[in-house]
Amino acid sequence: MEPVYVFDAVRTPRGKGKKRGVLAHIHPQNLAGDTLRALTKRNSSLNAEKVEDVIMGCVSQVNEQGACVARYAVMAAEWPENVPGYTVNRFCGSGLQAINNGVAAVGSGMSDLVVAGGVESMSRVKMGDDVGDLDMSIGNPFIAEHYNLVPQGISADLIATKYGFSREDVDRFAVESQQKADHAIKNGYFKNSIIPVKGPKGEDVLLDEHPRIESDYEFLSGLGGVFKTYGESGADAIALKTYPDISKINHVHTLGNSSGVVDGAAVVLLGSEKAKKEYGLRPRARIVSMAAIGSEPTIMLTGPVAASKLALQKAGLTAKDIDLYEINEAFAAVVLFVQKELGIPKEKINVNGGAIALGHPLGGTGAILLGTLTDELERRNLRYGLATLCIGGGMGIATVIERING
């Protein structure tokens, strides 16, 4: 593969995914368009006309997020009409998959300059709007019954039960996510990538809206298990068909130790050696390797382990070689599981907090993680980073990057 560089990475703030959220008034096409517009504003040598494709991840591709949000984001940004766009859906891994697609295009020599990322406006297009049938049959009872499919929250609780993570473990993890995010915000660690977006009154919004530093352990430990009722009404029994050695699922996940529902968008500017020279762009990082895998569909969320191992193998690296990890905090037990299985020191993981504190705008999160990873490798003067996400239906995705000096 030819070298593929990360030239820049930008993201919007993350607003609460509710009607009163600070970004709820912004159409998702415009939210994504704001990130494209920011790229050309930040990079004076970037001529948008030379961008060969815009690839956007988006999970719920219906209603306002239908009709190829990537192409309409190009229009919203008022970029030249010759710039095409397409939208991808690998559930929660969509934003990183869009980037990996861009990497493949550049690395193969088919393209020299690509923008990739993702968007999700969860205040305007609700999670599950694209599914319709929320009993998990998705129109095909055979799949649901053959694979014992359950909602992700049940899968997360199953991971906690099977691998021995207690309610205290997941709540303590959530407290640390809030504390790290609060520290990062107060110290301006997100300022390099975050772009201003106009709020409902025309004001510049520059801060993530979801973090709640007041969510201490005492508060979190008092919250009820959000998936307990659903599990006891039948979902647990379905999951335990696949795992008959487990007598009962412990419902440890709550609204406080699961990812937040938010609006947000992010993109990464990718390019070749030729683009670097021709357009005077400064590489910040190099894409080292990438991988996606399928995993057991009932437990569903264990995929980051196998995906990370495959990406590391392709890079010729080990887990110990990675200086920083961004592991999506879909649920606390997922990150604890990946940490345990890969033997990652706690101080290398999500050093600025994660989706429990900051929120998880489904299609955009993967791109946010890669941008955060690039920024933090630079800030700490470190070399290797790995971003990974669990994915619905039993999948995982991972990408390894290397910071470039200078």
Side-chain angles (χ1 to χ4, degrees), residues 124-312:
R124 299 170 77 102
V125 183
K126 301 300 180 185
M127 185 162 44
D129 277 0
D130 58 329
V131 176
D133 190 352
L134 293 181
D135 67 359
M136 300 307 293
S137 70
I138 317 175
N140 189 341
F142 166 78
I143 292 176
E145 294 170 8
H146 183 74
Y147 293 101
N148 297 322
L149 296 184
V150 292
Q152 286 190 10
I154 303 296
S155 299
D157 286 338
L158 179 58
I159 289 173
T161 304
K162 181 175 175 61
Y163 295 99
F165 302 119
S166 67
R167 173 63 188 269
E168 181 174 353
D169 291 334
V170 293
D171 282 343
R172 295 286 184 196
F173 181 89
V175 170
E176 291 183 5
S177 180
Q178 294 285 352
Q179 291 172 341
K180 289 186 286 186
D182 184 66
H183 179 77
I185 291 168
K186 287 177 177 175
N187 286 276
Y189 295 166
F190 298 137
K191 283 185 177 180
N192 187 57
S193 289
I194 204 164
I195 61 169
V197 176
K198 293 298 180 184
K201 298 180 181 179
E203 75 281 17
D204 280 346
V205 177
L206 274 164
L207 290 176
D208 295 306
E209 188 182 22
H210 191 268
R212 293 184 60 185
I213 189 58
E214 67 273 17
S215 298
D216 58 12
Y217 179 73
E218 183 179 2
F219 171 77
L220 291 179
S221 62
L223 297 176
V226 72
F227 305 105
K228 186 174 188 291
T229 300
Y230 195 91
E232 292 177 349
S233 68
D236 286 359
I238 294 172
L240 294 179
K241 289 180 182 178
T242 304
Y243 295 91
D245 55 314
I246 297 173
S247 59
K248 182 181 179 181
I249 295 177
N250 300 321
H251 292 287
V252 300
H253 286 95
T254 70
L255 292 176
N257 56 40
S258 306
S259 56
V261 174
V262 295
D263 302 335
V267 292
V268 173
L269 179 62
L270 302 165
S272 64
E273 185 73 24
K274 178 183 176 183
K276 180 186 81 168
K277 295 176 180 177
E278 190 169 337
Y279 308 125
L281 296 166
R282 181 183 72 83
R284 298 176 58 196
R286 177 179 71 90
I287 304 293
V288 180
S289 67
M290 55 193 185
I293 59 90
S295 61
E296 196 282 297
T298 305
I299 206 164
M300 193 183 307
L301 307 174
T302 58
V305 171
S308 297
K309 286 181 177 179
L310 183 56
L312 289 167

Side-chain angles (χ1 to χ4, degrees), residues 45-105:
S45 61
L46 174 62
N47 180 354
E49 188 175 37
K50 302 300 182 182
V51 174
E52 295 173 64
D53 217 342
V54 171
I55 312 167
M56 285 278 181
C58 184
V59 175
S60 297
Q61 295 182 32
V62 293
N63 303 325
E64 293 180 350
Q65 290 181 165
C68 190
V69 69
R71 172 57 177 169
Y72 284 95
V74 171
M75 296 180 182
E78 299 181 87
W79 273 20
E81 63 182 25
N82 68 286
V83 180
Y86 72 93
T87 310
V88 300
N89 182 0
R90 200 190 283 277
F91 296 146
C92 294
S94 299
L96 194 57
Q97 185 61 58
I99 290 170
N100 290 353
N101 284 10
V103 171

Side-chain angles (χ1 to χ4, degrees), residues 373-382 384-385 401 403:
L373 197 57
T374 302
D375 285 341
E376 197 61 19
L377 287 173
E378 289 178 338
R379 195 181 72 82
R380 296 184 178 221
N381 196 30
L382 297 174
Y384 288 117
I401 66 171
R403 181 184 64 87

